Amino acid sequence: MSNCFFYHEIVSFYRDLHLVPIHLVGGAYCTGAAWVNGSSRDLKTDISVLTTDEAMNALDKLEPAKFRYKSDPVEEHLGFIAEDVPDFVAMEDRKGVSAMDIVALLTKVIQEQQNTLRQQEERIVELESLMIGLSE
């Protein structure tokens, strides 16, 4: 037997007196300890690689902000304003931003930066070898 329990804006689901995770359409779920975004290929269509140019362009347009929620004016937060982020990372209703979209974008940019650093390190070694050869 499944039941739903509401207590001070908290919703709990339980079956046979055991709490169960909340599963949502699209594969996301909450275990009570962590929110998990559905990420399996089985849940996705039209999968393609995020290009470096797409990631860099979106990153350039992101404007991190400090803010307080109207519902909790005491605590300061860091994040983004949904209406101000590129369409690439905004939710369709422009009321939220998916943290995983930002993580994917940042991962692509960091991968490109790491590749650039490796190339620069190789070039530095080459130039140092040339300089040693010239000084001998």
Side-chain angles (χ1 to χ4, degrees), residues 39-45 47:
S39 192
S40 170
R41 285 183 180 281
D42 293 341
L43 301 170
K44 300 174 182 180
T45 63
I47 299 169

Side-chain angles (χ1 to χ4, degrees), residues 63-117:
E63 194 67 42
K66 296 188 297 186
F67 56 89
R68 297 178 197 283
Y69 286 104
K70 292 177 181 178
S71 62
D72 181 12
V74 176
E75 190 172 346
E76 187 173 68
H77 296 271
L78 303 176
F80 301 96
I81 308 304
E83 294 87 352
D84 299 338
V85 299
D87 291 341
F88 203 58
V89 296
M91 302 305 289
E92 190 173 332
D93 65 0
R94 302 298 286 194
K95 297 292 181 193
V97 176
S98 168
M100 285 308 297
D101 289 354
I102 303 292
V103 169
L105 182 137
L106 292 174
T107 299
K108 187 65 172 188
V109 170
I110 291 169
Q111 288 172 338
E112 181 61 26
Q113 289 175 344
Q114 289 301 109
N115 186 42
T116 299
L117 284 173

Side-chain angles (χ1 to χ4, degrees), residues 21-24 26-40 43 100:
I22 299 171
H23 290 266
L24 302 174
Y29 61 94
C30 181
T31 64
W35 177 262
V36 181
N37 291 323
S39 192
S40 170
L43 301 170
M100 285 308 297

Side-chain angles (χ1 to χ4, degrees), residues 5-25:
F5 174 71
F6 296 91
Y7 179 75
H8 294 287
E9 300 179 9
I10 297 172
V11 180
S12 297
F13 294 93
Y14 61 93
R15 183 179 357 173
D16 300 326
L17 301 178
H18 294 92
L19 285 174
V20 295
I22 299 171
H23 290 266
L24 302 174
V25 174

